[in-house]
Amino acid sequence: METLGLLTGVYSVILVISPCPSNYVTWYKNCYRLVSEPKTWEEAEAACVKEGGHLASVDMSYDQAFISGAIQQGNTDAWIGLRRKADGDTYQWSDGWPVFYTHWGPGEPTNHKGEGCVSMHGRSHFIQGTWNDTACEVTKPYLCKITFGNHLCNNQ
Ligand SMILES: [Ca+2]
């Protein structure tokens, strides 16, 4: 009974106080914000970390659908949190999630040298919502994600 009371209390707090900062959208225990000011991938990740999150990871297909919708609100491609590791072969999410799911565009990732950062195509692209590995130094809008209840995911 004590546990039930505690849980009821916790849920009440969640219902009353949104766990997301006011400029974020809440979806499935995560907060998302599309930032239109273009930054390089690393600057964008740093800006998201400053707000208590990371560039958005896409953990499953329903995340892909939501995140693609969020990015289509802007005009152009936007950075997500995927980056190729230094070994050149595998990718990792900046928030430490394992890479279970990918949604590469046709022929992607092209794996050109120096193009290890991943953006999602915006609505102006014919394959909107698909992923593209591109040069990390290019500046793009970006999507931050804060996972509430678990801010301790600062894996590198
Ligand atoms: Ca590419």
Side-chain angles (χ1 to χ4, degrees), residues 73-93:
Q73 315 260 313
N75 287 318
T76 64
D77 298 8
W79 291 124
I80 56 175
L82 198 62
R83 186 175 191 178
R84 198 185 310 152
K85 287 186 187 172
D87 66 20
D89 285 332
T90 52
Y91 282 79
Q92 64 185 348
W93 293 110

Side-chain angles (χ1 to χ4, degrees), residues 104 107-112 115 131-134:
W104 296 110
E108 304 292 350
T110 42
N111 284 321
H112 292 312
E115 297 202 344
W131 306 0
N132 174 30
D133 62 329
T134 187

Side-chain angles (χ1 to χ4, degrees), residues 50-123:
K50 214 171 169 181
E51 302 205 344
H54 288 279
L55 281 172
S57 58
V58 184
D59 309 325
M60 296 179 191
S61 56
Y62 58 78
D63 290 321
Q64 164 66 25
F66 173 81
I67 287 170
S68 174
I71 286 178
Q72 308 316 316
Q73 315 260 313
N75 287 318
T76 64
D77 298 8
W79 291 124
I80 56 175
L82 198 62
R83 186 175 191 178
R84 198 185 310 152
K85 287 186 187 172
D87 66 20
D89 285 332
T90 52
Y91 282 79
Q92 64 185 348
W93 293 110
S94 57
D95 66 5
W97 267 91
V99 182
F100 284 134
Y101 173 86
T102 57
H103 197 73
W104 296 110
E108 304 292 350
T110 42
N111 284 321
H112 292 312
K113 205 171 177 337
E115 297 202 344
C117 292
V118 178
S119 61
M120 186 183 283
H121 285 303
R123 66 180 175 212

